């Protein structure tokens, strides 16, 4: 019995028609007929192994769903993510890889089907283990173990492209028609481009993937830290060289003019938006962060001050402990009063923590400005505030 | 692994420290083996193209060891300068006041390592710990990296510059790289490969091989590189210059006319030496950034595809790419070419190409181009006989329709 290729390719055509933005990925898959594969499986070189009997017994619409499912494993780089997870948590053995396969399937299946694409029979979804939808594979992996609940999933096998464990049917890197890492990136890039080019008809899961495919999300702590650090350390404050007084090396090198290293501790002023819309937990963690950074770059406690600000700036006093700042306020915000009060303390850096629902000062203050922005989701007909001005370095928090 | 030679017997008069020295010498013995190591190849490619390279990697993963090996392979003396412990004047030169500064001026005296480098005429200058250097030192380094000048000295052309930096997350009190300095480097992410480390600790490290440039390919390589970069920038003018706006990208690679020129040089070197696309991808993305780099590579992939006009001119001998997505791109291109200049002969040629594609590969690729091409038909054009062979394609399409 040979494979009903026509049916398989008709299914691919159906998949391409219902998910046009995945066309490049679907067409890039190279079909290999294999009798050892239970259903359909992919390897890390973008080959797709297909069982002829599976093609025979599965309707075209469901086959189309399987096509998209398998391509999703590769697009979302599941095998490499599994390998990284396995190394980080020292997981070994086929049992763990099966768990990864299940978690990867959860990540795909919770949003890939519907809207013209049939869900294949037996597709596993997070609800089966009473888990919530919309998580990443790594998050699912922390939430369940193999047990009686998962016994029904043991037949699952999406191949080494899904969970990173080599199978006996894999043709390996030297086999024909494999894609190199660069070619794989190029395919991913084309798909991401066609998603961001026409986002209207694309599910939220795929949009998020396209946004993050080549720009992984960064932890805001690092970014806020980097922004504050570079604002503090650029000339004018911090540790730098000066010809203002002689270097200690000068004594041994007569006739040579050397600069000396001089520290001028930075004066940092934090403006905190205390309008009703910012939660205490968000604020607390951000302020502790800023205080810690300022300390590591040599700031002294008496040089950090904090204002809480709603429609009026409330308070100026040295920041002794982050927990000590009394946040008075609530209601609307006008950060302009906060900036005006902050500038009067002649700081080197102003850090404003806000949700952005405020008017901004019209002119650039005479110090570096970092804005930590708590993102807010806006309803379509909501009032959308103006974004922070160009002269501030903006870090989105949360 | 059996040790063939018996361990050297220490002489009877040896002090304990001599024995320790012998043991250390034994430990230091290591062999090298050829091994495909993409990041090492990328490093050698950029170094041979005489572009400053910046290695980003966590502390302790062997950046310095790789550099030592590279220097060995290139037969260049290695000069390591830890940027963070130097003062700006060590790079810009120390002002030395002479007899009469008003008449003679104040010369900027270079440090000894620079003098030695210039005297040797060649060498590998390794600027370590770049990201933890204070801003004033980074500013002074700008001149070293860009103009190759240290004080009054100019580094000879035989000197290559490589720098290393720790990523922001792991540099406890690091300064981030200023965009002008970042733009002058090819940024390479240095990570360790588990197998390489285990094998290396066992005594065998991969060997860095300098890309061998083929003299007969030089002219073509330059033309190809110019065509690749200019082709993309004509279509995407916005990519020419993009200062990094977002926090994530600061201190990394970003596109500017300068970094595009570096990219052009890297492509020419890669083509002339026959380096793999994976290596090229790594250096190009490290020069202009991930997004623009990927766009360039994607458009280079398209450059390799056969020209639709050539295919239409002689469909009988046409060779279509094996890979499905590329084949689809070619067929779409052919149909677009017919749409741009509709003539009966071209329309017929396109049909024979589609038949060829259908005969030699997956049939689903042909469906969309076939229906688009059919729609292009003018009333007075006769339907070619070859179209009969595509009936199956129509049935494939109907099969999907029925399934819906």
């Amino acid at each position: 019995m040979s494979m009903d290729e026509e049916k398989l390719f008709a299914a691919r055509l159906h998949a391409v028609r219902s998910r046009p933005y995945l066309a490049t990925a679907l067409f890039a898959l190279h079909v290999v007929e294999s009798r050892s594969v239970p259903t359909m499986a992919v390897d890390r070189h973008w080959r797709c192994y297909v069982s002829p009997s599976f093609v025979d017994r599965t309707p075209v619409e469901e086959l189309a769903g399987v096509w998209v499912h398998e391509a999703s494993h590769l697009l979302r780089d599941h095998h490499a993510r599994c390998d990284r997870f396995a190394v980080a948590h020292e997981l070994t053995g086929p049992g763990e890889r099966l768990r990864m396969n299940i978690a990867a399937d959860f990540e795909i299946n919770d949003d890939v089907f519907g809207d013209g694409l049939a869900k294949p029979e037996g597709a596993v979804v997070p609800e089966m283990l009473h888990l919530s939808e919309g998580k990443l594979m790594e998050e699912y992996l922390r939430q369940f173990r193999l047990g009686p609940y998962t016994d029904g999933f043991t037949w699952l096998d999406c191949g080494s492209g899904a969970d990173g464990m080599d199978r006996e049917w894999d043709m390996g890197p030297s086999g024909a028609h494999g894609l190199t890492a660069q070619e794989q990136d190029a395919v991913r890039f084309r798909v991401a481009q066609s998603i961001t080019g026409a986002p209207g008809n694309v599910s939220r899961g795929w949009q998020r993937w396209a946004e993050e495919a080549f720009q992984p999300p960064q932890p805001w702590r690092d970014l806020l830290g980097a922004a504050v650090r570079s604002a503090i350390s650029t000339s004018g404050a911090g540790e730098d060289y000066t010809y203002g007084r002689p270097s200690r090396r000068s004594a041994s090198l007569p006739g040579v003019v050397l600069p000396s290293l001089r520290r001028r501790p930075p004066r940092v002023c934090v403006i905190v938006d205390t309008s009703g819309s910012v939660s205490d937990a968000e604020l607390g963690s951000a302020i502790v962060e800023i205080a810690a950074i300022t300390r590591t770059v040599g700031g002294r406690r008496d040089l950090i001050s904090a204002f809480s600000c709603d429609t009026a700036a409330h308070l100026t006093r040295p920041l002794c402990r982050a927990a000590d700042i009394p946040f008075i306020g609530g209601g609307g915000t006008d950060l302009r009063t906060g900036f005006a009060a902050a500038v009067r303390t002649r700081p080197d850096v102003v850090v404003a923590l806000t949700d952005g629902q405020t008017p901004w000062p019209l002119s650039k203050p005479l110090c570096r400005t970092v804005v930590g922005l708590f993102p807010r989701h806006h309803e379509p007909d909501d009032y959308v505030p103006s974004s922070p001005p160009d002269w501030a370095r903006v870090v989105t928090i949360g | 692994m059996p040790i063939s030679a018996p361990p050297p017997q220490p002489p009877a008069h040896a002090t304990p420290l001599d024995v320790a020295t012998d043991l250390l010498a034994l430990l230091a013995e290591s062999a090298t083996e050829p091994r495909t190591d993409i990041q090492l190849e990328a490093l050698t490619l950029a170094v041979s193209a005489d572009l400053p390279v910046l290695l980003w990697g966590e502390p302790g993963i062997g950046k310095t060891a790789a550099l030592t090996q590279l220097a060995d392979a290139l037969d260049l003396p290695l000069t390591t300068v830890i940027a963070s412990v130097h003062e700006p004047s060590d790079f810009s030169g120390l002002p030395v006041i002479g007899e009469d500064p008003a008449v003679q001026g104040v010369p900027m005296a270079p440090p000894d390592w620079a003098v030695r480098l210039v005297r040797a005429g060649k060498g590998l200058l390794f600027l370590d710990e770049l990201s933890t250097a204070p801003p004033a030192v980074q500013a002074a380094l700008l001149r070293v990296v860009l103009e190759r000048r240290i004080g009054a000295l100019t580094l000879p052309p035989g000197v290559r510059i490589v720098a290393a930096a720790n990523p922001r997350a792991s540099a406890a009190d690091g300064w981030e790289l200023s965009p002008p300095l970042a733009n002058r480097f090819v940024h390479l992410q240095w990570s360790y490969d588990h197998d390489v480390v285990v094998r290396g600790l066992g005594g065998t490290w991969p060997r860095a091989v300098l890309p061998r440039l083929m003299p007969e390919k030089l002219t073509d390589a330059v033309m190809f590189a110019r065509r690749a970069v200019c082709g993309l920038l004509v279509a995407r003018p916005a990519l020419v210059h993009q200062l990094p706006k977002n926090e994530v990208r600061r201190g990394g690679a970003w596109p500017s006319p300068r970094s595009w020129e570096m990219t052009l040089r890297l492509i020419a070197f890669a083509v002339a030496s026959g380096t793999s696309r994976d290596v090229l991808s790594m250096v190009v993305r490290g020069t202009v950034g991930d997004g623009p780099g990927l766009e360039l590579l994607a458009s280079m992939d398209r450059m390799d595809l056969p020209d639709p006009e050539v295919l239409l001119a002689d469909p009988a001998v046409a060779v279509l790419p094996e890979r499905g997505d590329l084949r689809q791109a070619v067929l779409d291109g052919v149909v677009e070419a017919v749409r741009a200049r509709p003539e009966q002969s071209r329309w017929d040629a396109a049909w024979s190409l589609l038949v060829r594609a259908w005969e030699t590969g997956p049939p689903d690729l042909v469906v969309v181009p076939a229906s688009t091409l059919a729609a292009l038909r003018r009333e007075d054009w006769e339907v070619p006989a070859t179209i009969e062979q595509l009936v199956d394609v129509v049935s494939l399409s109907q099969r999907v329709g029925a399934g819906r």
Side-chain angles (χ1 to χ4, degrees):
Chain A
M1 177 191 69
S2 98
M3 185 159 66
D4 185 355
E5 285 202 345
E6 194 186 307
K7 185 174 176 187
L8 185 67
F9 287 125
R12 179 158 79 172
L13 190 59
H14 181 67
V16 169
R17 281 189 177 167
S18 49
R19 299 283 185 274
Y21 46 88
L22 298 181
T24 309
L26 288 165
F27 285 142
L29 285 170
H30 180 79
V31 174
V32 179
E33 186 178 336
S34 168
R35 273 158 219 286
S36 23
V37 188
T39 54
M40 264 166 86
V42 281
D43 72 6
R44 47 179 93 224
H45 309 285
W46 287 65
R47 296 187 199 93
C48 183
Y49 303 88
V50 187
S51 147
S53 60
F54 175 69
V55 174
D56 272 343
R57 67 172 187 265
T58 314
V60 173
E61 306 87 80
E62 286 187 21
L63 265 183
V66 179
W67 268 111
V68 171
H69 175 98
E70 300 299 340
S72 306
H73 276 307
L74 295 173
L75 279 174
R76 298 181 186 200
D77 205 18
H78 275 152
H79 53 92
R81 284 163 59 191
C82 284
D83 285 347
R84 280 198 290 273
F85 193 88
V87 168
H89 297 82
E90 303 206 329
L91 304 176
T92 51
E96 285 299 332
R97 292 292 176 169
L98 171 64
R99 207 161 68 84
M100 291 175 191
N101 199 154
I102 295 171
D105 275 15
F106 283 173
E107 181 189 306
I108 294 173
N109 290 352
D110 57 7
D111 66 348
V112 77
F113 300 117
D115 193 19
L117 203 62
K119 181 152 99 181
E121 200 187 352
V124 296
V125 287
E127 282 162 26
M128 293 176 176
L129 297 181
H130 309 290
L131 300 174
S132 53
E133 290 188 348
K135 299 269 175 17
L136 293 178
M137 181 192 84
E138 287 82 356
E139 293 171 283
Y140 285 126
L141 272 175
R142 293 195 189 94
Q143 290 179 353
F144 73 95
R145 304 185 165 282
L146 291 184
Y149 294 112
T150 60
D151 277 353
F153 302 162
T154 47
W155 59 272
L156 255 184
D157 195 343
C158 292
S160 55
D163 57 20
M165 184 175 68
D166 288 338
R167 304 297 202 281
E168 71 269 21
W169 60 74
D170 278 359
M171 293 163 76
S174 52
H177 302 296
L179 264 60
T180 65
Q182 190 264 323
E183 288 168 333
Q184 296 175 15
D185 271 352
V187 172
R188 278 198 200 97
F189 180 70
R190 290 242 153 227
V191 173
Q193 246 188 346
S194 41
I195 289 175
T196 45
N201 309 317
V202 184
S203 77
R204 270 197 57 77
W206 278 117
Q207 280 183 40
R208 195 180 57 196
W209 172 81
E211 281 159 18
E212 294 176 0
F214 292 100
Q215 213 188 88
Q218 294 275 314
W220 64 263
R221 270 164 216 284
D222 290 354
L223 295 180
L224 183 66
V228 173
R229 197 178 284 137
S230 88
I232 289 172
S233 62
T234 28
S235 52
E239 196 172 45
D240 211 345
Y241 289 90
T242 170
Y243 284 96
R245 55 180 175 179
S247 161
R248 281 185 298 175
R249 278 188 190 176
S250 296
S252 59
L253 292 166
V256 178
V257 183
L258 292 168
S260 63
L261 199 56
R262 179 168 180 230
R263 167 166 291 172
R264 198 167 77 85
R267 194 184 285 272
V268 179
C269 184
V270 185
I271 308 173
V272 179
D273 179 348
T274 45
S275 62
S277 46
V278 181
S279 87
D280 287 357
E282 288 174 321
L283 277 181
S285 56
I287 289 175
V288 170
E289 197 67 25
I290 292 166
I293 292 158
T294 315
R295 210 170 302 135
T296 55
V297 295
R300 299 195 308 261
R301 277 177 183 172
D302 58 323
L303 293 177
I304 311 175
S305 53
F307 289 89
S308 62
C309 177
D310 43 22
T311 43
H314 274 291
L315 167 95
T316 168
R317 71 172 200 178
L319 177 70
C320 292
R321 285 197 305 276
D324 268 357
I325 310 168
F327 292 133
I328 311 164
T333 321
D334 188 347
L335 273 189
R336 289 177 300 190
T337 51
F339 269 99
V343 167
R344 277 198 290 277
T345 67
R346 305 183 65 78
D348 296 304
V349 182
V350 171
V351 184
L353 300 173
T354 174
D355 59 0
Q357 299 183 346
T358 168
W360 295 95
L362 289 176
S363 62
K364 178 184 184 309
L366 287 170
C367 56
R368 288 160 199 283
T369 309
V370 176
V371 174
L373 199 63
F374 300 102
R376 292 287 172 266
H377 297 293
H378 299 287
E379 297 300 319
D381 48 349
D382 254 9
Y383 150 75
V384 177
S386 59
S387 52
D390 291 342
W391 39 260
R393 291 183 68 160
V394 183
V395 177
T396 307
I397 296 178
Chain B
M1 189 169 55
I3 297 171
S4 49
Q9 290 297 319
H13 61 268
T15 66
L17 214 53
D18 287 336
V19 184
T21 311
D22 289 343
L23 181 57
L24 286 174
L26 264 182
L27 282 170
E29 268 175 32
S30 66
T32 57
E33 61 178 355
R35 182 192 168 100
T36 40
D37 183 340
I38 290 178
Q39 55 187 18
L40 199 58
E41 276 184 52
L43 174 62
T44 44
L45 181 75
V47 166
S48 68
D50 197 16
L51 294 172
V53 184
L54 177 55
L55 306 180
W56 287 97
E58 303 290 327
I61 58 164
K63 299 189 290 285
T64 314
L67 253 290
T68 316
Q69 287 216 359
L70 181 68
D72 273 353
L74 300 179
D75 198 22
L76 290 176
L78 178 68
T79 305
T80 303
V81 178
I82 313 275
S84 56
V85 300
H86 280 268
E87 300 188 347
S89 49
D90 291 353
F91 299 108
S92 57
L94 296 157
V96 182
I97 301 168
E99 297 279 303
D100 192 352
V103 177
Q104 293 170 357
V106 179
M108 304 295 263
D112 67 328
W113 55 263
V115 174
R116 266 183 278 129
L117 257 179
V118 172
R119 198 173 296 150
K122 61 175 190 173
L124 193 60
L125 174 59
F126 180 36
L127 305 167
D128 206 355
E129 305 277 351
L130 192 68
S131 57
T132 37
V137 174
Q138 289 193 11
L141 276 172
L142 262 181
R143 208 156 158 256
V144 179
V145 174
L146 180 73
E147 296 174 28
R148 307 171 63 93
R149 288 175 71 88
I150 300 164
L153 286 180
T154 305
L155 291 177
V159 175
R160 303 290 152 96
I161 301 173
V162 180
N166 298 329
R168 240 171 9 193
S170 62
D173 52 352
W175 277 274
E176 73 183 7
L177 233 52
S178 63
L181 188 57
N183 196 230
R184 287 173 165 92
F185 280 108
V186 178
H187 299 251
L188 292 182
Q189 301 299 327
W190 206 258
S191 58
Y192 69 87
D193 179 342
H194 181 255
D195 293 340
V196 169
V197 170
V198 172
R199 187 129 174 82
L201 292 175
T204 314
W205 292 99
R207 186 185 311 145
V209 184
L210 202 62
R212 191 181 300 272
L213 299 171
M214 286 166 272
E216 70 277 10
K217 278 195 176 178
L218 298 186
T219 323
D220 285 350
V222 173
M223 272 175 47
F224 179 84
R226 295 215 159 118
R227 205 152 53 87
V229 172
C230 301
L232 176 72
L233 294 186
V234 166
R236 295 290 317 276
L239 288 182
V240 172
H241 190 265
Q242 284 179 346
L243 253 172
K245 284 201 186 66
N246 116 14
E247 279 299 318
V248 184
R249 298 205 176 283
R250 272 177 203 263
W254 53 278
S256 75
R258 177 190 5 245
S259 50
W260 281 115
E261 197 191 336
M262 289 160 64
T263 306
L264 206 150
R265 198 192 289 190
L266 286 166
I267 297 173
F269 267 77
V271 173
S273 61
T275 313
S276 77
R277 271 290 162 86
D278 286 326
V279 174
L280 183 62
S281 159
M282 199 166 163
V283 287
V284 165
R285 286 158 74 171
T287 310
V288 288
D290 266 349
L294 278 164
E295 276 201 44
L296 175 68
L297 291 159
S299 82
M300 278 167 65
D301 282 345
R302 293 293 191 263
M303 274 171 67
D304 292 344
L305 296 182
D307 183 357
E309 294 299 334
V310 175
L311 293 179
L312 284 174
D314 197 356
V317 296
V319 180
L320 296 165
E322 278 291 318
R323 246 175 72 192
D325 56 327
L326 299 183
R327 177 174 284 226
Q328 184 216 9
V330 169
L331 295 181
D332 286 348
V334 166
V335 175
E336 278 313 303
V338 175
R339 188 202 298 279
R341 195 150 58 82
E343 284 163 24
Q344 164 104 50
S345 60
R346 290 159 67 82
W347 194 65
D348 291 347
W351 279 116
S352 22
L353 274 173
L354 289 187
V355 170
R356 247 187 110 75
W358 173 75
E359 281 165 352
T360 55
D364 54 336
L365 293 172
V366 186
V367 175
V368 177
S371 49
T372 325
L373 192 62
L376 289 180
R377 179 175 170 238
R378 299 277 168 89
E379 274 179 20
D380 52 335
W381 290 356
E382 281 186 25
V383 178
T386 43
I387 221 169
E388 288 297 315
Q389 289 169 273
L390 286 177
V391 169
D392 283 350
V393 168
V394 180
S395 79
L396 183 76
S397 181
Q398 277 166 352
R399 199 163 163 178
V400 178
R404 278 191 137 172

